Amino acid sequence: MRRISVFGATGSIGQNTLDLIRRAPDDFDVVALTGAHNIKLLAQDAMALGADIAVTSDPARLAELRDALAGSGVEAAAGDNALIEAAARPADWIMSAIVGAAGLAPGMEALKHGTTLALANKESLVTAGPLLLGEAARHGATVLPVDSEHSAVFQALIGEEMEAVERVIITASGGAFRDHPLDALEAVTVAEASSHPNWDMGQRITIDSASMFNKAMELIETKEFFGVSPDKIEAIIHPESLIHAMVGFNDGAIMAHVGPHDMRHAIGFALNWPKRRSLPVERLDLAKIGQLNFRAPDSARYPALKIAQTVMEEGGLTGAVFNAAKEQALDDFIAGRCGFTDMARKVDACVDAMLSREGLQNATITLDSVQEADAAARALTADITGTAKG
Ligand code: NAD
Ligand code: MG
C-alpha cells in the first residue's frame, strides 16, 4: 500500500486524482486531504477514503469541518501551518494541486521529508523553481510534472540526453477567444472567459487559458523544470489540443505526445511512474479525428507570451513578481475591477516597474524573499488601473 496525500483535493485536479485512487482502493492508504472552502466535499471524500486527516486552509471553517467529520475518526485541522504539518506527515506520494502561490510552502515541506511530489501547482515552479528543485535534490526527493504539457515533455525525454534537445514546443489551444475579433477582446465578460473550448478545469486556469497567461506560465515552467534555455522554448497554437507538447532533437526528429483531453492521463502517469498502467481515459480514434492543425500565436492577441520571454530571460525573483501580478490582475478581472485586456497591461507594467527599481534578477530565492516579492507585486498591480474600466 502506498501512502498518499492530495493537496487541493476538492479542486479539478484533486477530484481527478481521487477518481484514480478510488479505482484501486487496495493500492493506496490516504494520509491527508486538503481543501479551502468546499468543506462538505472535503469531509465526504476524507471519510469515504479513510484519510487520517482533513485540512482546510481557512481557519474560520474549522468548526464546520469538525462537525462534518464528527464520529468518523478523521482528524480535522485548519490554516496554513496545518497544511505544512499535513505535508510533513509520512507519505510516499503527494499531489500538489492547490491553486496559486499558496501551493509552494506545502510542496517544499513534502520534499524535505523525501516525499515524491506530483506537481500540478505550476506556480511553485514559476515563483521559485530553483528553490523547489534544489530542495528536492538536497533530500533526494522526486518531482514529477502533472501539467499535461510537462508530463508530455517528460515522457518524450525518457531515454534521451538533454544535450540532444534542440527545442521544446508547448502546444496551446488558444483558449476561449482564439477566433474572437481582436478589438472586441477588451469587452469580454468573466463568464465568457471562464469557458474552455477543450478542457474542463478550475475557473482561474480557464481564464488564464483565454488570456494565454497559462501558456506563459507553462513556458517558464518548462525552463525551470527541464533546465532548457528560453531560446529553445516555443508555444504553438494547436486548436485540437491532442498533441500536448513536442520535443525536437538535433537530428531533426520531433517526438510528440498525443492523448485525449483528460487530466487523468498526466495524473495517472505520475501516480504509476516509473511504470505505465492502464488508465480509464478515452483511446483516440485517429481516423475519426482526421487532422491536426497548427498556427503561430499572434502576439497582439496574446501579449502574455512576450512577458514570459522577459521573465525567463531575467530569472531570479522575476517569476515570483510575474505570478503575483498575474494572480492580482486575475482577481481584479474576476471582481470586475478591470477588463480582460487590462490584465496583461497590469502585469507588464508591474514586471517592468519592479525590474527597473530592484535587483530582482540576482536576488536569492527563499520562501521569505518570494513572499516579499509576491506581496509587493500584488500591491503594485492592484494600484495600476486598466484603461477599459477600474
Ligand atoms: P481548482 O480551483 O479547481 O482547485 C484548487 C484547489 O486548491 C481546491 O482544492 C481549493 O480548495 C484549494 N485552494 C484554493 N485556494 C487555496 C489556498 N489559499 N490555500 C490552500 N488551498 C487552496 O484548481 P485546479 O484547476 O484543480 O488547479 C490546481 C493547480 O493545478 C493549479 O496550479 C493549476 O494551474 C494546475 N493545473 C490544473 C489543470 C487542470 O486541468 N485543472 C491542468 C494543469 C495544471
Ligand atoms: Mg497545461
Side-chain angles (χ1 to χ4, degrees), residues 122 147-149 214-215 218:
K122 59 189 74 182
D147 210 346
S148 55
E149 295 75 6
N214 181 50
K215 214 45 60 180
E218 291 179 354

Side-chain angles (χ1 to χ4, degrees), residues 174-234:
F177 307 129
R178 65 186 171 211
D179 300 315
H180 209 73
L182 206 52
D183 55 3
L185 274 183
E186 210 167 294
V188 300
T189 64
V190 173
E192 288 168 322
S194 302
S195 102
H196 195 281
N198 300 338
W199 296 87
D200 180 16
M201 309 183 284
Q203 185 194 34
R204 297 183 73 86
I205 186 174
T206 303
I207 299 176
D208 280 350
S209 297
S211 63
M212 281 273 220
F213 267 111
N214 181 50
K215 214 45 60 180
M217 300 276 287
E218 291 179 354
L219 297 180
I220 302 166
E221 209 184 341
T222 303
K223 177 204 156 203
E224 297 297 344
F225 192 86
F226 299 102
V228 178
S229 63
D231 57 307
K232 292 182 171 174
I233 304 172
E234 316 162 28

Side-chain angles (χ1 to χ4, degrees), residues 308-384:
Q309 209 63 40
T310 305
V311 175
M312 289 193 285
E313 279 156 18
E314 301 291 350
L317 285 172
T318 318
V321 165
F322 168 76
N323 179 67
K326 185 224 75 163
E327 288 193 20
Q328 180 64 48
L330 182 57
D331 286 345
D332 291 346
F333 174 61
I334 292 172
R337 290 189 293 267
C338 78
F340 181 77
T341 47
D342 288 330
M343 288 192 284
R345 286 191 203 107
K346 280 159 79 83
V347 175
D348 196 25
C350 172
V351 170
D352 254 15
M354 288 192 66
L355 272 173
S356 62
R357 71 174 192 210
E358 307 183 23
L360 283 187
Q361 301 94 322
N362 305 317
T364 312
I365 305 178
T366 63
L367 273 182
D368 285 344
S369 70
V370 165
Q371 261 155 25
E372 257 170 53
D374 180 288
R378 278 176 210 257
L380 185 60
T381 306
D383 277 350
I384 300 168

Side-chain angles (χ1 to χ4, degrees), residues 8-14 34-37 57 83 97-100 102 120-123 147-148 200-202 205 263:
T10 55
S12 169
I13 292 285
T34 88
H37 308 302
S57 56
L83 285 175
I98 286 175
V99 62
N121 178 267
K122 59 189 74 182
E123 296 85 353
D147 210 346
S148 55
D200 180 16
M201 309 183 284
I205 186 174
M263 283 308 294

Side-chain angles (χ1 to χ4, degrees), residues 94-112:
I94 286 189
M95 167 54 75
S96 165
I98 286 175
V99 62
L104 175 61
M108 289 283 291
E109 184 66 26
L111 293 174
K112 242 182 233 165

